[in-house]
């Protein structure tokens, strides 16, 4: 059996370790996730109006799923704020709240839902995070701050369905990798 399934069983038995920043390795991974999110979202993306095709939320989701909701929230907020400052974008607090909620919701759902069904747990975590953070909160921020028409903003929904599926599949492949799973468990146990 893969570490993905064994990890789900172990997490049902132990709780609380996913939401702490207690380990220096976790803090280093969070900093790496922030940097990767900035690169994926601000440098390696395609932007046209309210649409940004990127994997900027991938590492935010990973932080929430791997280390808990507080880590996900921190990575999402810091990546958005630092990325805006580095690139010269105006900081939009609603979009920052959306980025933070992607990490928080992914961690919260992963920690508390479908513990015995790892695939459903991951899908629910990624799906809920994108629906609340990307499709609702960030879209509201784009509509309020930039005045994009509702029809245009609504087209973000199918975009994030596709991006969310791709990000969820990447995380699934990582969690199924035995070597990655062992390193992740070792990092969290310290």
């Amino acid at each position: 059996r893969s570490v993905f399934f064994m990890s789900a069983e172990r997490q049902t038995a132990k709780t609380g370790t996913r939401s702490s920043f207690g380990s220096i390795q976790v803090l280093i991974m969070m900093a790496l996730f922030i940097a990767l999110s900035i690169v994926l979202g601000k440098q390696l993306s395609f932007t046209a109006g309210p649409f940004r095709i990127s994997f900027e939320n991938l590492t935010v989701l990973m932080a929430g799923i791997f280390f808990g909701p507080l880590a996900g929230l921190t990575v999402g907020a810091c990546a958005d704020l630092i990325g805006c400052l580095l690139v010269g974008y105006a900081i939009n607090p609603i979009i920052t709240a959306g980025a933070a909620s992607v990490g928080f919701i992914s961690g919260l759902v992963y920690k508390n839902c479908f513990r015995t069904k790892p695939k459903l747990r991951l899908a629910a975590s990624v799906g809920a995070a994108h629906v609340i953070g990307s499709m609702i909160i960030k879209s509201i921020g784009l509509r309020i701050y930039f005045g994009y028409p509702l029809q245009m903003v609504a087209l973000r929904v199918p975009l994030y369905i596709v991006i969310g599926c791709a990000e969820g599949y990447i995380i699934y492949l990582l969690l199924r990798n035995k070597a990655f799973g062992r390193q992740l468990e070792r990092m969290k146990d310290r």
Side-chain angles (χ1 to χ4, degrees):
R1 281 190 324 187
S2 72
V3 175
F4 180 59
F5 294 101
M6 292 184 332
S7 176
E9 292 168 0
R10 285 178 64 199
Q11 289 166 8
T12 7
K14 68 179 196 178
T15 59
T17 58
R18 294 189 140 267
S19 62
S20 70
F21 297 153
S23 142
I24 193 74
Q25 288 88 357
V26 171
L27 290 172
I28 291 169
M29 283 303 299
M30 288 172 59
L32 179 63
F33 285 160
I34 291 168
L36 283 170
S37 181
I38 292 168
V39 170
L40 292 171
K42 307 293 191 262
Q43 304 298 323
L44 300 176
S45 66
F46 172 76
T47 304
F51 308 105
R52 178 182 294 161
I53 300 172
S54 75
F55 288 104
E56 68 184 325
N57 290 318
L58 176 63
T59 57
V60 176
L61 291 164
M62 290 167 64
I65 290 168
F66 298 162
F67 305 121
L70 188 57
L73 181 140
T74 304
V75 168
C78 289
D80 187 69
L81 292 171
I82 295 168
C84 285
L85 292 173
L86 289 175
V87 176
Y89 292 169
I91 294 174
N92 181 332
I94 299 173
I95 292 178
T96 301
S101 70
V102 167
F104 182 77
I105 297 294
S106 68
L108 189 66
V109 171
Y110 195 80
K111 183 178 179 180
N112 296 308
C113 297
F114 307 111
R115 290 185 177 197
T116 59
K117 299 178 179 176
K119 290 178 185 175
L120 183 58
R121 180 184 199 186
L122 181 61
S125 176
V126 172
H130 271 301
V131 167
I132 295 169
S134 300
M135 295 179 198
I136 296 174
I137 298 174
K138 288 183 182 181
S139 294
I140 290 170
L142 290 170
R143 177 126 168 88
I144 290 173
Y145 274 79
F146 301 108
Y148 291 122
L150 190 57
Q151 298 86 351
M152 200 173 191
V153 173
L155 291 174
R156 290 171 46 87
V157 172
L159 173 68
Y160 276 100
I161 289 172
V162 172
I163 290 173
C165 288
E167 290 172 337
Y169 188 66
I170 291 168
I171 296 170
Y172 170 75
L173 292 175
L174 284 172
L175 288 172
R176 282 194 48 107
N177 182 290
K178 291 178 182 178
F180 181 83
R182 280 193 301 270
Q183 289 299 321
L184 185 61
E185 289 300 320
R186 203 168 86 200
M187 186 184 319
K188 289 187 297 187
D189 288 341
R190 288 187 179 186

